[in-house]
Structure formats: C-alpha cells, structure tokens
Amino acid sequence: MAARLGLLGRDRYILRGPFGSASEVVLRDESSGSEVRLPLAPAGGDELQAEVGLEELRPASGAASWTVVGVRAVEVPHPTELAIGGGVYRVRPHSAAGGRLDIDAKVLPPYARVDEVWVRRTSLEVRCGGASPEAVLARPRHGGDELRAEVEADSAGFVATFDLARFRSGTWDLFTDSGARLAAHLDDMPDRWRSTVYPAVRTGSGEAVEPYFTVDNELSVRVRPPRERGRAAPRGRLGRRAKLVVLALLQPVGRLMVRLATGRPPREPGDGKLKLLLLHAYGVGGTIRTTFNTAEWLARSHDVEVISVIRRRDMPALRFPDGVGLSAVDDLRAPLRPLERLLRALPSALIHPEDYGFSACSLLTDIRLARRLRSLPPGVLITTRPGLNVAAPSLVPPGVKVVAQEHMNFLSHRPGLFARIKREYPKLDALAVLTEDDMRDYSRLLDGSGVHVARIPNALPRSSEALSSLDEKVVVAAGRLRMQKGFDLLIRAYAEVAGAHPDWKLRIYGSGEERAALRDLIVEHELYNHVFLMGTSRSLHEELAKGSIFVLSSRYEGFGMVILEAMSCGLPVVSFDCPRGPGEIVSDGRDGILVPDGDVSGLTRALVELIEDEEKRRRYGAVAPDKARQYDLANIGPRWDALLGELA
C-alpha cells in the first residue's frame, strides 16, 4: 500500500494514502517490539489520513527505527530536529528495502555547535559558538592515534585549527575533550550533508582532505589516498548540433512508424471530461503545480481528468486536487515485452528535440500517446508545454478542441522549436499565455489564423498561511537548477553580500543538472559558509517563510510564479527585470526592487540595500501579500471559464 508522509507544523506527521477499508495504521519498532497505532480518518476522494506527534516516536533508549506496517513510501519529508531539554531529538523518515516506509528516531549525543568551517591551504578551522574553549580532537573512525587541534577563544566561543598534513587516509570524527560531537543542529537545515559543500584540499603527500557533515549533521573529515591517473575521455560522442541533425533525419521515420503502429484506434465513448495533458503529473515543478490548480478550479463545473504522458512513481509528489481524475499514458515502471524494449530505446518522434521534455519520452511513448489522443471523444484537451502543444493538433480527432498553454515566454524558444511553433500553433483552437508581452507577440504571430489568444496568468497555489517574521538573516531563492534560472549569476552577486554581511545566508531550493557546477562555484568563491543548495522541497511555502528576502536571478521567465509564492509569505523581492513576467508582478519601490536584466552588480546592491534598511524591508514585505492575492485562484479561475465558454 503506497502512502505519502508529510510534516504538519514542526512537530507532527500526517500520513495520507488509499488505505481501503483499514481503520488504523500501525508503527512498529522491531528492536523493542513497541507499537504506535494511529486511527485513520477521511482525507478526500478515496484517501484516508492519520496523524502522529513526533514525541510519540521518541525512543525510550537512544534510538528506534519505526516501520509503518504494510506501507510503501512514495513521498517523505526531510529529517526534523527538535530541542529536547538540553539536547537534540532527530527524526528521519526514509524509504527502506522494497520501498517500505521507515522512520528512524534518535536522541543525539551532546554537541558543540559548529558555526563555520574554513578550509585553508594547509589548515582546517572550525568555529564553535556558545561554548567555553576546550580541547578538540579528531579521532579516526577505524582506530589509530588522535589528532589534537590548536584552540583559541573568540567573542562567540572558540576556534579549533587542525594541520591538514597530519590527517591520514580514512574517516575522522571531531569531538571536544569532554566527549561532545562537533555538529550543526536546530538551524532549519536538518540535511546539511545535502546542502553544504566544502573544498577538498590535497596535502603534500597527495591525499585529499575534505570536511563534510554526516546524515546526523555531525562534522567529520574524509581523507582519500592520492588519486590515480584519470581515464581518457571517451571519444566519438556527438555534439549538440550533430545530435539535432541525426534526430532531424530520424524523426520523419519515427513519425511514420507511429502512424503505422497507431492505426485507427476506436474512440473512447463520450465521457464528457475536460482533459489536461501534462508531461509528468507525478513529479515536482511549477507547471505541475499550476496545472493542478487549474484542474481544481475547472472541476467545479466540469468533469476533469489529468492525463500524464509518463509515470515514474506510484502517487503524485504534489497534492492532487480532489474530484479530479488521473491517468497515465506510458508507465515507465511497468515490465516491457521485447518489441516494447526496442521502442523504448528509440528517441521520440513526436516531441521536438529542443523541448525540455524530449529526453523523458521515447518512440514507445509516442505510439501510446498517439493512440490515446486519437481515441479521445469530442471535448476539450488542454496541453501544457510546447512539445505537446505542437504534437496534439495533428493527433486528436475532429470534435476535440485543443487549448495550448505557454508556460515559457515567446522569446525563450530555441530556433528549431520556434519554427515548429509557427507551423503548428495556427492549428490550435486557443492559446493561453501568461503575460501582456506574450499576448501581443502571439496575437501578431497567429493573426488571421482564427486561434483565440487569451492572457491567463498562473494562479497562486493553495498553501498554508505561513508569513515570514522577517527576523531571520536569510535570503531565499528557488527554481530548477538550470542555466535559465541564473543561479550562477546569483552566487557571483552574493560573494560581495557575504563579504559585507557574513551573518546573512543564502538558501537556494531546487534540483537539476547544474547542481554540480553550482557547488563548484560556491567553493571557488569560498561561499560554503554562506550559500546552501537546499534541494527540492514539497512544502516550499513553509521554507520561503523562513527567509526575510526573496531573490530571482533568472535569465528569462515564463511568468515568475515563485515570486508570487514568496510575496504571499510577506517577503520583499529582489529580481532581475528579465523577459518576461517579473516586471508585471513586482512594483519597483513598493513591494520589491527590479534590477536591470543581467546586472550582477546591481543585484548585489539591491540585496545589500534591503539587508541594511530594515524599515524598507519590512515596508515592502507588508504590502507583498496584497499583490499575491490578486493572483488567487478565485480571481484567475473565471478567466478559464470565460475562455472555455467562448470555445463552446
């Protein structure tokens, strides 16, 4: 049985899933035999839910591992740390063997608080706050002689300095002489091993010495032996242009194979449903969130179904709207027959190779998608990305109206995809865009085609009512870790901010292909005590509310939905005035600061301005929720009603 585990506030879990006729959920600690029984209550649709306080999972002894009996984990929150007396209680849910949902709970040993770690050319400095100076030792985990640091008192605590050349291969744990672990706890970053990166320094003997945080947020040092000579880079890999040429030659053949394999499937019987087509409804992302939002609104007056082109997991990672159907075209978890395995290995012919969804699809996906779309009964199909927008009009039968959504801006499409857009978009029945500038450009492009172009901004996702106190010295940013989001520019801009205000930190939420490059950039600018890559959060609203300033550094945007999410938390905004969206959302000098597009120094100055001017920061933050409320679903939803009414 699959279920999602989420955090309610700071001290309760909520477990939600399709539990059938069960009346309770059982958590069992195998080592002690203890059990916690949780009654189930209706949660909407066919789902039930149970709640448990984290204190109920606290082990009688040092640690416990609770198994949620008969339940597989499809979503778990990050670990949580709570103050217990003078110590720390840590709870870590995770997916164990076979996908089983386990929750590890332990009371951590006494610790000395790590504030900063500095890796110099020949030394490692650890700054510990809130403690009296005492000896600090590095102990090899698998036995051997200890290393003793030089310790000096400072105004906040003490600094322990190790000579890097004295470390030998293996793993070393750091303790005070009284036995306290050097660790970072209770700072809203319970997954330091994910978010923090330190440089690896090579000693004279060639060994690489690198500090790191363990899964329990305890500071250790990893020492690797001298590296072997690297392998030669593989040859014969195609460059991007060559790949596009090969794909351009293959795609006509692939489309012919799709037509031959699809044939003329029978239409589904008329079900009266309004359908929204997503690439991956089971993932995490802004397009998914806003599509669920739209589906929830439309379900008030229509029978709505979300169709996911691919499926990689048991349940949606984001909250799926009640009263909305969900189906998948190509389930990547399912076993394949030999011919299907061959088709899975061939590239998609329907999705344009310059669409970011191309790599997720295959020729097998194409065949299954074509069969599904050609069998649709008369009605409305809403597509949600360029690759689907250009493919759908030629696949649906007569009587199906296609409404395309553009979540990226007119200027951001790459040349090959834009050429396809110019050919295929005139076949649409309607196009929904996000900004006034896109409304103007697409209206000009589609002039005379009969396509109805409507501006319907993304609606603010339903979220908690968490508001920032604006007391924390934290700047937050969020988005996919790719070049478009400009986090490389932000890290460069933040280098001067950290120099002027080292007590302020930058937290970047998101995952993606640029993560390794951003980690390298953090190390290059020695920002590893100031900039943290926090990973993906399924409760972004709560994480945003922990900050005091939101920053957007994108090279371009489709709209900038995350700006509104930050504003709804009461955060003032600093943003590049990039194409397109931020300039339509942020009122410069009222609820934020707009910086000229790509002006890295200007981004630095704007951040410093709000850091140093608390009165302005609070004034901007106080009016930000009013701006966000303009994009509530109650205000945006009627625009969808009007568009669908005109099509009818």
Side-chain angles (χ1 to χ4, degrees):
M1 189 178 302
R4 302 185 301 274
L5 186 71
L7 188 63
L8 275 180
R10 299 180 67 91
D11 60 357
R12 295 190 71 78
Y13 280 141
I14 181 169
L15 183 67
R16 182 171 177 171
F19 291 101
S21 60
S23 61
E24 65 179 9
V25 174
V26 177
L27 282 70
R28 180 179 299 131
D29 177 18
E30 299 296 345
S31 60
S32 66
S34 300
E35 288 188 349
V36 174
R37 294 181 175 269
L38 309 175
L40 286 164
D46 62 350
E47 292 192 327
L48 301 173
Q49 68 182 33
E51 294 184 19
V52 58
L54 300 189
E55 279 279 6
E56 295 181 56
L57 305 180
R58 185 179 176 187
S61 56
S65 183
W66 299 93
T67 294
V68 186
V69 179
V71 172
R72 288 183 295 113
V74 295
E75 176 186 326
V76 296
H78 292 301
T80 303
E81 294 180 341
L82 301 173
I84 300 293
V88 177
Y89 170 45
R90 182 175 175 84
V91 188
R92 185 176 72 92
H94 61 98
S95 180
R100 185 188 70 222
L101 175 56
D102 280 5
I103 303 174
D104 294 339
K106 66 168 68 174
V107 177
L108 299 180
Y111 73 100
R113 189 186 77 221
V114 173
D115 288 338
E116 291 183 345
V117 177
W118 291 101
V119 184
R120 312 299 186 186
R121 184 169 298 178
T122 60
S123 64
L124 170 66
E125 296 178 7
V126 183
R127 297 180 180 273
C128 294
S132 301
E134 58 177 308
V136 175
L137 308 171
R139 294 174 179 165
R141 191 170 293 177
H142 300 294
D145 295 335
E146 298 176 335
L147 299 180
R148 185 172 291 267
E150 294 183 6
V151 177
E152 293 185 11
D154 66 9
S155 58
F158 62 88
V159 179
T161 303
F162 288 95
D163 181 355
L164 291 179
R166 297 177 62 199
F167 285 95
R168 293 293 176 261
S169 295
T171 301
W172 301 71
D173 298 323
L174 307 185
F175 296 85
T176 65
D177 200 30
S178 61
R181 258 317 234 122
L182 269 59
H185 294 309
L186 304 175
D187 59 359
D188 284 328
M189 290 197 295
D191 250 351
R192 284 274 188 154
W193 69 275
R194 293 182 189 273
S195 60
T196 307
V197 54
Y198 294 115
V201 176
R202 294 220 168 256
T203 64
S205 62
E207 293 178 314
V209 183
E210 180 183 13
Y212 71 99
F213 280 103
T214 70
V215 293
D216 285 336
N217 281 355
E218 295 169 338
L219 186 64
S220 294
V221 177
R222 181 187 298 115
V223 185
R224 295 190 178 94
R227 59 188 170 195
E228 298 176 0
R229 183 173 299 174
R231 297 179 181 178
R235 298 181 180 180
R237 291 187 176 177
L238 293 175
R240 180 173 172 273
R241 285 190 177 182
K243 286 181 181 178
L244 290 177
V245 170
V246 172
L247 289 170
L249 296 173
L250 288 176
Q251 284 209 318
V253 178
R255 284 193 285 271
L256 176 61
M257 291 176 65
V258 170
R259 284 198 295 271
L260 294 174
T262 303
R264 290 182 177 274
R267 289 197 196 184
E268 294 178 354
D271 57 8
K273 288 187 177 180
L274 188 154
K275 303 178 190 298
L276 297 97
L277 186 65
L278 268 171
L279 176 66
H280 186 30
Y282 297 81
V284 177
T287 298
I288 301 168
R289 285 204 305 273
T290 194
T291 300
F292 287 0
N293 236 16
T294 302
E296 183 174 43
W297 175 267
L298 294 175
R300 297 163 69 254
S301 53
H302 299 80
D303 194 353
V304 177
E305 179 184 8
V306 172
I307 302 173
S308 184
V309 176
I310 61 172
R311 181 178 185 178
R312 292 195 181 103
R313 54 167 68 219
D314 292 343
M315 299 172 67
L318 301 176
R319 186 192 71 83
F320 192 75
D322 295 334
V324 175
L326 177 62
S327 63
V329 172
D330 189 9
D331 191 339
L332 304 185
R333 307 165 306 159
L336 298 174
R337 294 188 290 269
L339 178 58
E340 291 174 330
R341 283 197 292 272
L342 173 61
L343 294 172
R344 175 82 82 221
L346 296 173
S348 171
L350 294 181
I351 306 301
H352 196 279
E354 290 183 347
D355 183 282
Y356 286 113
F358 171 77
S359 61
C361 300
S362 66
L363 197 57
L364 180 60
T365 310
D366 293 348
I367 292 170
R368 291 176 171 175
L369 178 61
R371 286 175 174 168
R372 181 66 186 276
L373 295 186
R374 287 181 179 175
S375 67
L376 290 178
V380 176
L381 174 69
I382 300 175
T383 55
T384 56
R385 64 179 309 115
L388 300 176
N389 298 346
V390 299
S394 300
L395 295 174
V396 298
V400 176
K401 295 182 182 295
V402 179
V403 179
Q405 280 186 287
E406 265 292 358
H407 289 279
M408 294 310 300
N409 76 63
F410 183 85
L411 304 173
S412 65
H413 299 302
R414 289 180 278 185
L417 179 57
F418 188 65
R420 184 86 181 275
I421 285 172
K422 288 194 289 186
R423 291 197 305 271
E424 301 296 332
Y425 274 24
K427 301 175 185 177
L428 297 168
D429 293 283
L431 175 66
V433 301
L434 301 176
T435 65
E436 292 287 356
D437 287 338
D438 273 7
M439 177 80 173
R440 179 197 65 234
D441 288 339
Y442 278 109
S443 295
R444 187 179 300 145
L445 177 72
L446 298 172
D447 186 33
S449 67
V451 178
H452 181 82
V453 182
R455 177 179 174 260
I456 308 179
N458 287 334
L460 191 66
R462 191 172 73 185
S463 57
S464 71
E465 298 299 320
L467 281 176
S468 171
S469 66
L470 300 186
D471 292 328
E472 300 301 320
K473 296 181 178 181
V474 175
V475 178
V476 288
R480 184 79 178 161
L481 303 186
R482 57 169 48 135
M483 286 296 290
Q484 175 220 332
K485 296 297 183 180
F487 292 128
D488 57 322
L489 305 179
L490 175 57
I491 290 170
R492 292 186 176 96
Y494 203 80
E496 289 190 39
V497 178
H501 297 280
D503 50 341
W504 279 73
K505 312 300 181 188
L506 170 63
R507 299 178 184 175
I508 301 174
Y509 291 89
S511 59
E513 61 271 17
E514 289 293 310
R515 182 178 178 85
L518 296 177
R519 286 168 61 95
D520 291 344
L521 200 58
I522 290 169
V523 169
E524 177 187 337
H525 289 276
E526 296 189 337
L527 291 171
Y528 40 82
N529 287 303
H530 305 98
V531 179
F532 304 93
L533 300 178
M534 304 295 291
T536 300
S537 173
R538 293 183 177 89
S539 55
L540 182 60
H541 194 275
E542 285 75 12
E543 299 303 330
L544 292 173
K546 295 174 184 177
S548 294
I549 299 170
F550 177 79
V551 58
L552 186 132
S553 54
S554 297
R555 290 177 165 87
Y556 60 89
E557 277 290 341
F559 180 60
M561 193 69 221
V562 70
I563 295 177
L564 291 174
E565 293 182 77
M567 285 182 161
S568 72
C569 298
L571 293 186
V573 173
V574 172
S575 174
F576 279 147
D577 191 10
C578 65
R580 297 174 165 165
E584 291 190 17
I585 300 173
V586 179
S587 297
D588 188 38
R590 175 173 168 77
D591 46 39
I593 301 175
L594 284 173
V595 177
D597 186 22
D599 183 355
V600 173
S601 297
L603 198 67
T604 299
R605 290 192 297 272
L607 288 170
V608 170
E609 179 180 339
L610 288 187
I611 286 172
E612 295 180 348
D613 192 337
E614 181 180 355
E615 189 277 330
K616 180 179 289 186
R617 187 169 74 244
R618 293 188 178 278
R619 187 172 74 248
Y620 287 4
V623 300
D626 294 333
K627 174 66 67 64
R629 278 190 285 272
Q630 296 176 24
Y631 295 86
D632 280 347
L633 191 55
N635 295 325
I636 301 301
R639 300 194 188 191
W640 278 105
D641 295 336
L643 175 59
L644 296 177
E646 291 181 21
L647 289 179

